[in-house]
Amino acid sequence: MSVANDTIARISSAAESQVSGGTLLTGIALSSFSALLLELALTRLFSVVLFYHFAFLAISIALLGLGAGGVFAHLRKEWLNSRGLRGIAAVCAAVAAIAIPVVLEIVLHTPVSLKLTGGNFLRLTAIYMASAVPFFLTGLQFSVVFAR
């Protein structure tokens, strides 16, 4: 079993060394671009859907998600090191690409008011947590790529 694990580790490290700098830079650029566009969209949506004073919350959600992704990468670095760089980056990018339209739908279709009720608090929490997921995935992707 140890021989098989060593062989898999050598194959994955060989595959990682074949990732060109241009491909990696293009992937990072596109992920950064999508995260910035999502942050801009959330700023606009929060100002309309959740009233204007919630607009700057999008910046805090982005920072929360990016930081949480980095912390997760640090805490689970042994588990992440056993996987290939391309695989982690591809999965994070694909799931973030699926999550972004879902988040925008959640923000648009969740009714929120300024009343201090438990239901309103739960709806706001759902919006905030859902909005942080794509940023978490982007932060995880960046942490793994930059660490390697």
Side-chain angles (χ1 to χ4, degrees), residues 37-71:
L37 282 180
L38 176 62
E39 187 176 348
L40 180 64
L42 287 176
T43 301
R44 300 296 183 187
L45 285 174
F46 286 168
S47 68
V48 172
V49 174
L50 298 178
F51 311 103
Y52 69 94
H53 47 275
F54 284 99
F56 297 105
L57 189 63
I59 298 166
S60 301
I61 290 172
L63 290 174
L64 169 73
L66 291 170
V71 169

Side-chain angles (χ1 to χ4, degrees), residues 20 28 30 60 75 87 89 116 132:
S20 69
I28 293 294
L30 289 173
S60 301
L75 294 176
L116 294 174

Side-chain angles (χ1 to χ4, degrees), residues 25-141:
L25 289 175
T26 303
I28 293 294
L30 289 173
S31 293
S32 297
F33 183 66
S34 67
L36 285 171
L37 282 180
L38 176 62
E39 187 176 348
L40 180 64
L42 287 176
T43 301
R44 300 296 183 187
L45 285 174
F46 286 168
S47 68
V48 172
V49 174
L50 298 178
F51 311 103
Y52 69 94
H53 47 275
F54 284 99
F56 297 105
L57 189 63
I59 298 166
S60 301
I61 290 172
L63 290 174
L64 169 73
L66 291 170
V71 169
F72 180 81
H74 176 72
L75 294 176
R76 301 296 302 243
K77 64 180 143 187
E78 292 84 19
W79 180 73
L80 290 169
N81 284 336
S82 68
R83 274 117 178 104
L85 177 61
R86 272 187 170 187
I88 294 171
V91 167
C92 286
V95 175
I98 293 168
I100 288 172
V102 172
V103 166
L104 294 175
E105 284 295 320
I106 289 171
V107 170
L108 281 173
H109 294 10
T110 304
V112 178
S113 67
L114 290 178
K115 294 181 182 177
L116 294 174
T117 63
N120 197 37
F121 179 75
L122 288 176
R123 287 189 293 275
L124 280 172
T125 302
I127 288 172
Y128 300 158
M129 291 297 123
S131 298
V133 169
F135 296 111
F136 172 83
L137 293 166
T138 303
L140 176 62
Q141 179 187 11

